[in-house]
Amino acid sequence: MITIDLDSADPLFNQLVKQIKQAIENKQLRPSDALPSIRQLAADLDINAKTVAKAYRLLERDNVIESQGYRGTFVRADAEKNIQVDIKAWLNQTLAEDIEKYRSAGLTDSEIRIAFNAALSNTSSSTPTN
């Protein structure tokens, strides 16, 4: 079902994400369907398991799949509505809107960049480790 183009400029993990989302959209994968394990899919595609793990993490973050521990990884019940969500586009738009507010308030790009980096550093260092 999944094919990898090693000559593509598109990163391998992104190819996996797109193809899994497409399989859900085309009803080749349905809610509650099990996905291959990371190791199995990596072996089948002859790619690094870390690449598959990254794709699965992104799909899980986007609420397309869910890991159920030792039981495996499955397509979420609401996956079809979530495959259309582009979190990067949302992030870019939200940041652009915020930056415009800061510029309107008279801040320079340099001041915004410094404040953003400081906030990002503070957020990452104070993130709870559950």
Side-chain angles (χ1 to χ4, degrees):
M1 165 177 80
I2 294 175
T3 57
I4 294 297
D5 181 2
L6 296 174
D7 296 324
S8 173
D10 201 12
L12 299 180
F13 71 87
N14 205 37
Q15 291 180 46
L16 288 171
V17 168
K18 286 179 183 178
Q19 288 186 48
I20 291 171
K21 284 183 175 183
Q22 187 175 30
I24 292 167
E25 188 172 37
N26 295 337
K27 309 267 190 261
Q28 294 168 313
L29 284 174
R30 298 187 180 278
S32 302
D33 281 355
L35 294 172
S37 71
I38 290 170
R39 285 189 181 123
Q40 182 62 54
L41 187 55
D44 291 348
L45 298 174
D46 197 26
I47 60 175
N48 192 305
K50 290 182 180 182
T51 301
V52 177
K54 182 172 184 176
Y56 277 21
R57 272 194 315 275
L58 293 172
L59 288 164
E60 196 161 8
R61 174 201 68 190
D62 293 346
N63 293 318
V64 174
I65 65 173
E66 62 184 340
S67 175
Q68 295 181 0
Y70 293 110
R71 293 190 61 226
T73 303
F74 299 87
V75 176
R76 288 178 55 102
D78 56 352
E80 197 166 353
K81 76 172 184 166
N82 296 330
I83 60 174
Q84 302 304 326
V85 174
D86 185 350
I87 200 159
K88 286 182 185 177
W90 169 82
L91 176 61
N92 288 335
Q93 178 165 347
T94 302
L95 286 174
E97 290 168 359
D98 289 343
I99 288 168
E100 187 53 41
K101 284 191 274 185
Y102 306 144
R103 285 177 177 157
S104 294
L107 293 166
T108 66
D109 286 356
S110 180
E111 291 170 318
I112 295 168
R113 197 173 293 111
I114 291 167
F116 180 83
N117 287 333
L120 192 58
S121 293
N122 288 339
T123 301
S124 63
S125 65
S126 65
T127 302
T129 54
N130 291 342

